[in-house]
Amino acid sequence: MTIGIFKCGNIGASPVFELLLDELAEREDIKVRTVTTGSKMGVDDVEEALPKLLAFNPNLVILISPNPAIPGPAKARETTLQSGVPSVVVSDSVAKRLKEELEKQGLGYMILMGDPLIGARREFLDPVEMAIFNSNVIKVLATVGVLRILHQEIDRLIAILKEGLPLTLPRLIVDTDTIRDKLDFSNPYAKAKAMAAYELTKKVAEINTRACFIEKDREKYIPLVACAHEIAQLAAKLAEDAREIEKYSDSLARKPHSKKGTPLTKTKLTQSPTSDEETYRNWLKALQP
Amino acid sequence: MTIGIFKCGNIGASPVFELLLDELAEREDIKVRTVTTGSKMGVDDVEEALPKLLAFNPNLVILISPNPAIPGPAKARETTLQSGVPSVVVSDSVAKRLKEELEKQGLGYMILMGDPLIGARREFLDPVEMAIFNSNVIKVLATVGVLRILHQEIDRLIAILKEGLPLTLPRLIVDTDTIRDKLDFSNPYAKAKAMAAYELTKKVAEINTRACFIEKDREKYIPLVACAHEIAQLAAKLAEDAREIEKYSDSLARKPHSKKGTPLTKTKLTQSPTSDEETYRNWLKALQP
Amino acid sequence: MTIGIFKCGNIGASPVFELLLDELAEREDIKVRTVTTGSKMGVDDVEEALPKLLAFNPNLVILISPNPAIPGPAKARETTLQSGVPSVVVSDSVAKRLKEELEKQGLGYMILMGDPLIGARREFLDPVEMAIFNSNVIKVLATVGVLRILHQEIDRLIAILKEGLPLTLPRLIVDTDTIRDKLDFSNPYAKAKAMAAYELTKKVAEINTRACFIEKDREKYIPLVACAHEIAQLAAKLAEDAREIEKYSDSLARKPHSKKGTPLTKTKLTQSPTSDEETYRNWLKALQP
Amino acid sequence: MTIGIFKCGNIGASPVFELLLDELAEREDIKVRTVTTGSKMGVDDVEEALPKLLAFNPNLVILISPNPAIPGPAKARETTLQSGVPSVVVSDSVAKRLKEELEKQGLGYMILMGDPLIGARREFLDPVEMAIFNSNVIKVLATVGVLRILHQEIDRLIAILKEGLPLTLPRLIVDTDTIRDKLDFSNPYAKAKAMAAYELTKKVAEINTRACFIEKDREKYIPLVACAHEIAQLAAKLAEDAREIEKYSDSLARKPHSKKGTPLTKTKLTQSPTSDEETYRNWLKALQP
Amino acid sequence: MTIGIFKCGNIGASPVFELLLDELAEREDIKVRTVTTGSKMGVDDVEEALPKLLAFNPNLVILISPNPAIPGPAKARETTLQSGVPSVVVSDSVAKRLKEELEKQGLGYMILMGDPLIGARREFLDPVEMAIFNSNVIKVLATVGVLRILHQEIDRLIAILKEGLPLTLPRLIVDTDTIRDKLDFSNPYAKAKAMAAYELTKKVAEINTRACFIEKDREKYIPLVACAHEIAQLAAKLAEDAREIEKYSDSLARKPHSKKGTPLTKTKLTQSPTSDEETYRNWLKALQP
Amino acid sequence: MTIGIFKCGNIGASPVFELLLDELAEREDIKVRTVTTGSKMGVDDVEEALPKLLAFNPNLVILISPNPAIPGPAKARETTLQSGVPSVVVSDSVAKRLKEELEKQGLGYMILMGDPLIGARREFLDPVEMAIFNSNVIKVLATVGVLRILHQEIDRLIAILKEGLPLTLPRLIVDTDTIRDKLDFSNPYAKAKAMAAYELTKKVAEINTRACFIEKDREKYIPLVACAHEIAQLAAKLAEDAREIEKYSDSLARKPHSKKGTPLTKTKLTQSPTSDEETYRNWLKALQP
């Protein structure tokens, strides 16, 4: 089975997305193929690049971009719909207002409320600052459980496709409540810190949006983007602190993929992972996530 | 001009690589296209995926993978050579022993001695741990100047191609000495900390190599991968500390791309970037980096 | 001259407010008198307590409370207006929608957008948690310059009253922009961190409001208040980090009161403060702050 | 029932004192009224302000000030004694030598050995530094259990008054031993850190006393007050670390007031507080605390 | 019984070595005598100083020095061999290549792979930097269990000598594996951090060796020694973090000596130590450590 | 010239003392010889061991011990006095009351007020805890300048002896004032933090003295020694923070010895040290330090 990933522009969940599905590079049940247009999101970019992905004949397509309402990503949605391959949009908080349109189009979606816009102002952002920002956001998304939700949803779809069952595409808004309900942390204060870290990335999004689109004066937007990236750094630190607490009680959950692609689970560090039957059964019987 | 990036397996520099060239998504002189095989590195993967990249008719190809000696990446090198497009291999320390072969093949290379192997043991590595590890490595590579070296080398090639001058492909082993010589830090202790952070990622590589390929007993390799990832986390923290020092004296260098793709530079946060003429001139006159 | 302060309920700026005006207890030009109703904000509380404050015959009254729109604080505004003493309302972000009403009433106001509601849920809040929360908020408000703005505005009014000039009461919404413009920090990254700290207290307000007034289910509101207080703790740490940077360059501004109540200023730690003539002149000539 | 609080000058326990008794503003059994003289402690200040407090007809009076031996606070003691209302003096370590006099006068007392004098030197102290210092001291007093002791003693008196039993006023010297015996921490290292934090505030008191009253030369006292406030900052950090440890094992005790004012208790974050019968019974049967 | 310790030059384990055997100064079964040649390691130094140690008629001699292959320490080995007293060499990683020679000579050895060379370059090292470096190394060696291994091996020899049993001298290479197997930590992540700290001191050794013996140019070696000492500082911090985790679960093992010199053991802080019979029995029955 | 060091029992300055005089092991003008009695301080220990030191015919003797008033160290003083070699006592705060006696005896002294007693209780102290405590104390003494004062005083005596001038032995009480006056820090807040760190080690001494000699009940002394060692750990961290600040402005003073033993000095990390003529001249002309 082939999972096709199309990245058009970047969100925090993009850079490591394809690696989430096969973190040990030993999975025998799927192939993952990605095509990207770099940071650009134009209609031309999409028209040139997306067919290359579809040429892999994917069984499932993931479309990742910021703001899926603008023409480039809209074109990408349209093109995959025409191809008939089941598709899931992964995007940031801007996508929330597109929720109904996506449902009408028959696309799945996973909208990450705390995957923040970067501080894209030339006085502040250079390749190094960009990479550090993404590093911080990746750490938050990983630690607070957002990336877990993402890969498990895709894993669920793969499982259903493998079993030949009818597919229900995800319709997820991943907000702080989701973290509260889904995060595998045993300590409630660790969970509170994780929620706090995610709230901070939402705050980053809010400030950067203002700095990038509203403030026109560099005396105003430079301090704002700097301020937002300080919060991103802090959010990563806080997420790390939360995870440390789970280490201190040796209760950190790990959920690797087996070679067959089925979900495994473990907590004690020195133990071996065992098959996560419950999760797998839930995947197969769930009609709507 | 089109820059084609082929990722086959993952190293720390991979996830944000294509974004480095156009961090503001405003560059008008280049298009960036990426095709990846996910975490897999088989010959089949390469044979299926690389042609999709070459179909973009790139003017320059970057091949990123760990260990370029194994069959999959070797096949990728061979295929791009056949295509006649100038190509640069970006890889980790394992690639060092391939140096002469790469030179003979006429490939450029940028070998990152401190881009470490991940702790790929199923008892330890799951998608979340994988993402966090990459987050830490990205922060180190960005902060200590490795990502700066990478994008500037590609930028140099682009500049030469645009000017129609003869191309000298990079032959770079990026070790701690390189950081000492190229990092734009003004404080010598900040530089020492950055060098230390890079030495730590080299140590991570060393420990994970032992844990993944030498130790067969889980009582032995589990503590080792856990130990290596603790060092990765610490390296990211140390790199961050180093960068903070530069903030404290408001001497943090920022080098964004202009819309035309030419290099800009600035230090004081509240200033605007100006054209980095010197760097540009050096690019054009250098015969060998 | 007597400054009367009436506290009815608590905001983060309340606990140390009266001390701001005479931090060394050596000021000869004013007396400060405070009456409070503890944490209660009922109409009865106000009716009983406020006359005790007015009995001091204050030349200026400061009314501090959260949410000045509810009956108790509204009664307090009405009563002081009847007394004819010039009065200034100090309150939190909820007060922003009362702006026009306050202006019509002829009251001055200083509305602190980042003075957050506490996580007032009995499963979480006890006297110790309450005190720690206030400790964190006080540190943020002090460090990022909000308390400086508060005392300087009152000092300005005192100066005008002493000179017998016509009084223009403050109309201030103290938001992150205010910090950017008024904070005496020399390092721009320190300022960015201070702005970030203030944004975090705004986030605390947002989460606690939801946890206290919207969520009805304890499984939902307990994690939220815990999350909000984690952010408050982090905001205090970030504010402290910002101030440390100013220490590192020995550029921390200090602005004590002289015995006569006039503003002094200094930066280098080992120097003595000197008269801040410029600030004083600006106070006297400003018609509208 | 009315609790009257008179603050004359400031100690670390003052700013949030009245809030401790009714942290949720929902208590139906008491009213709290506070009158303060700001930072001033003169006889005139007391003579003018204290009658305003007594005019509330309090059932219990708390007199909070530094150094209760000097004329202003002495006058306050005398005046409340004349009023016949049961009264408790809350003060700092200087008050220890007044112990016998207070007992003779029939006043209760709670003397906080680790509530330190501030670094009241004009070259160093301004309103912002003052507020930050108080923030740090409040965090220590809260975290290490001093504020718990304070509010429970007052709660005990209220309970006895409500039951119409004979009142035994507190005679407490709150030193590090008290913390060892009364702090609700389950981890012995957390307790050791809390004791250490309290010892540090005692050290702050010692250094500031020397800096404020003994050293006459600014070259000498400026470094000393700066040194003392660094220790205060560190003490707050250490207290926070201690509390974090209790969070890590989800054993943090919380003791809110019920609406009726009776003591509640809980530890696990997600649980609801239950009635603390044992504490309440002990309050009623204790003849001498 | 007299334990004679000869220090010739310094390694990280040297400064507190003799104190390890009798940390409470209450042990009645042994006397410890040390003679050192300061930082010097010449043959003359040894020839003058070692006889003074042998004049104490020690029952056991410990020879501590870096690099025991060079003439001074070689002379020390030769001289103690001639004296007939059982002797153990304690040294750093350079000694590993001397392993067979030491065995042939009939000397015991404990070779500490993570006891790093100092950054002995006059542009960098002064007495203060030297002391801080040793402080950091001592903290790592203590925390990760290396000093435990050292004193228990000597304690074992003392026990055997006291029982009149045949002596088997230690032949230990103390590397990261040793820590994994011998460290008394209950938390596996704490152990991973401890292993990481020890790996960092090995890295320090590697960098300082290059900086001291290979790089000739001060532009090259100054950054390297600074970098190595930054890592040493970080290693100490990491070791401390590891130990803190054990505190958080109150599982920190303590193994004091009884007055009779027998091993005691305890974990819970508030408990008393009890006799460690198992360790003692193992000592007596072990033929080869 | 031979410098003889006799250590009898341990203080924080002992473990690295002899290394301070020749940190690079390249000094050609002196030999350093040390004899110690381990942690024991009995008269017998001294009578057996001190003659071995005097047998080196030292030109100067340093006697280091805690509490020099008790019989063992007193015997050591007496014996060195009889030998006629100029001698300097280095000791902890307990020695302050012996000041006059030392002066009468014609001994020099350097009394370190912040070199604290260890928490010598068997329930708490084991070899590992002992080593960590010493690590922390060494870091404080080094960083705040105490070790600088120690080695420069000995260096001064050596210089005078080499020049054949009359010797004035040091009479130093090294308290926080000394640090304020002698520490080579350029940033006043760094200096304040260093002073604070030293005040903390004084606090450690105070608490451990109580825990070791006054409290008899293990429920009382165990928390106290744990508390004291937490403060020691914090003091080391604070000292490190202070030194970091000097790194941030690249103003960290380094004062290595030249091969000839003369004092060198430097600040900028990348510079070479130069001869510290001024210090040397001061040494020769000072009659009394």
Side-chain angles (χ1 to χ4, degrees), chain A residues 22 27 33 39-40 123-124 126 129 135-136 139 148 218 243 247 254-255 266 270, chain B residues 22 27 39-40 48 123-124 126 129 135-136 139 148 218 230 243 247 254 266 270:
Chain A
D22 190 11
R27 203 165 160 179
R33 298 290 176 262
S39 53
K40 289 280 175 47
E123 290 86 354
F124 179 69
D126 76 345
E129 183 76 42
S135 158
N136 286 325
K139 186 169 282 180
R148 176 78 75 218
R218 42 192 287 283
R243 189 170 168 92
K247 290 185 188 173
R254 297 177 186 277
K255 307 207 165 174
K266 63 169 287 190
T270 55
Chain B
D22 190 12
R27 203 164 160 179
S39 53
K40 289 280 175 47
E48 186 193 28
E123 289 88 353
F124 179 69
D126 75 343
E129 183 76 42
S135 159
N136 286 326
K139 187 170 282 180
R148 176 77 77 217
R218 44 191 284 284
E230 289 293 335
R243 189 170 168 93
K247 291 184 189 172
R254 297 177 186 277
K266 62 168 289 191
T270 55

Side-chain angles (χ1 to χ4, degrees), chain B residues 213-283:
Chain B
F213 301 125
I214 297 172
E215 299 291 356
K216 300 300 174 203
D217 180 5
R218 44 191 284 284
E219 273 72 42
K220 292 190 174 166
Y221 63 67
I222 294 177
L224 280 179
V225 287
C227 159
H229 283 220
E230 289 293 335
I231 296 175
Q233 178 170 301
L234 206 63
K237 176 64 172 57
L238 184 58
E240 197 171 288
D241 288 351
R243 189 170 168 93
E244 285 292 307
I245 296 176
E246 294 294 311
K247 291 184 189 172
Y248 296 173
S249 52
D250 195 15
S251 59
L252 192 63
R254 297 177 186 277
K255 306 206 166 174
H257 293 95
S258 76
K259 287 196 178 183
K260 292 180 188 164
T262 50
L264 303 177
T265 189
K266 62 168 289 191
T267 50
K268 296 266 168 205
L269 177 61
T270 55
Q271 291 174 334
S272 289
T274 54
S275 184
D276 187 355
E277 304 289 348
E278 191 191 343
T279 293
Y280 195 76
R281 268 195 309 272
N282 285 337
W283 287 352

Side-chain angles (χ1 to χ4, degrees), chain D residues 61-102:
Chain D
V61 166
I62 318 296
L63 298 171
I64 316 185
S65 76
N67 195 353
I70 60 172
K75 180 74 193 173
R77 281 185 283 139
E78 197 184 306
T79 308
T80 50
L81 280 169
Q82 284 164 358
S83 77
V85 189
S87 301
V88 179
V89 169
V90 177
S91 191
D92 59 13
S93 61
V94 184
K96 198 178 172 187
R97 55 186 175 227
L98 214 68
K99 195 167 151 340
E100 266 112 70
E101 184 179 333
L102 295 169

Side-chain angles (χ1 to χ4, degrees), chain A residues 173-287:
Chain A
I173 309 288
V174 184
D175 206 341
T176 309
D177 296 353
T178 329
I179 286 162
R180 186 193 58 218
D181 296 341
K182 300 220 170 179
L183 183 60
D184 304 307
F185 277 7
S186 66
N187 181 288
Y189 293 97
K191 191 173 278 195
K193 284 179 202 280
M195 291 167 66
Y198 199 58
E199 282 292 319
L200 295 199
T201 53
K202 287 167 63 181
K203 175 54 89 175
V204 172
E206 178 193 322
I207 298 172
N208 273 340
T209 301
R210 183 171 161 208
C212 292
F213 301 126
I214 296 172
E215 299 291 357
K216 300 301 175 200
D217 180 3
R218 42 192 287 283
E219 272 73 41
K220 292 190 174 166
Y221 62 68
I222 293 177
L224 280 178
V225 287
C227 158
H229 283 220
E230 290 293 334
I231 295 175
Q233 178 170 301
L234 207 61
K237 177 65 174 55
L238 184 57
E240 197 171 289
D241 289 351
R243 189 170 168 92
E244 287 291 309
I245 295 176
E246 293 295 311
K247 290 185 188 173
Y248 294 177
S249 51
D250 195 14
S251 59
L252 192 63
R254 297 177 186 277
K255 307 207 165 174
H257 293 96
S258 76
K259 286 196 180 182
K260 293 181 188 163
T262 50
L264 304 177
T265 189
K266 63 169 287 190
T267 52
K268 297 266 167 205
L269 178 61
T270 55
Q271 291 175 334
S272 288
T274 55
S275 184
D276 187 355
E277 304 289 349
E278 191 191 345
T279 293
Y280 195 75
R281 270 196 308 273
N282 285 337
W283 287 352
L284 295 189
K285 76 180 173 211
L287 289 179

Side-chain angles (χ1 to χ4, degrees), chain F residues 104-154:
Chain F
K104 266 185 220 150
Q105 290 183 306
L107 291 161
Y109 56 82
M110 298 195 282
I111 294 171
L112 314 181
M113 300 307 287
D115 190 322
L117 179 68
I118 199 166
R121 287 295 194 174
R122 191 168 272 109
E123 289 87 354
F124 179 68
L125 199 73
D126 75 344
V128 170
E129 183 76 42
M130 178 280 297
I132 291 171
F133 180 80
N134 275 287
S135 159
N136 286 326
V137 175
I138 292 167
K139 188 169 280 180
V140 175
L141 296 180
T143 306
V144 309
V146 171
L147 298 188
R148 176 77 76 218
I149 292 167
L150 292 186
H151 84 74
Q152 286 200 334
E153 271 306 308
I154 310 299

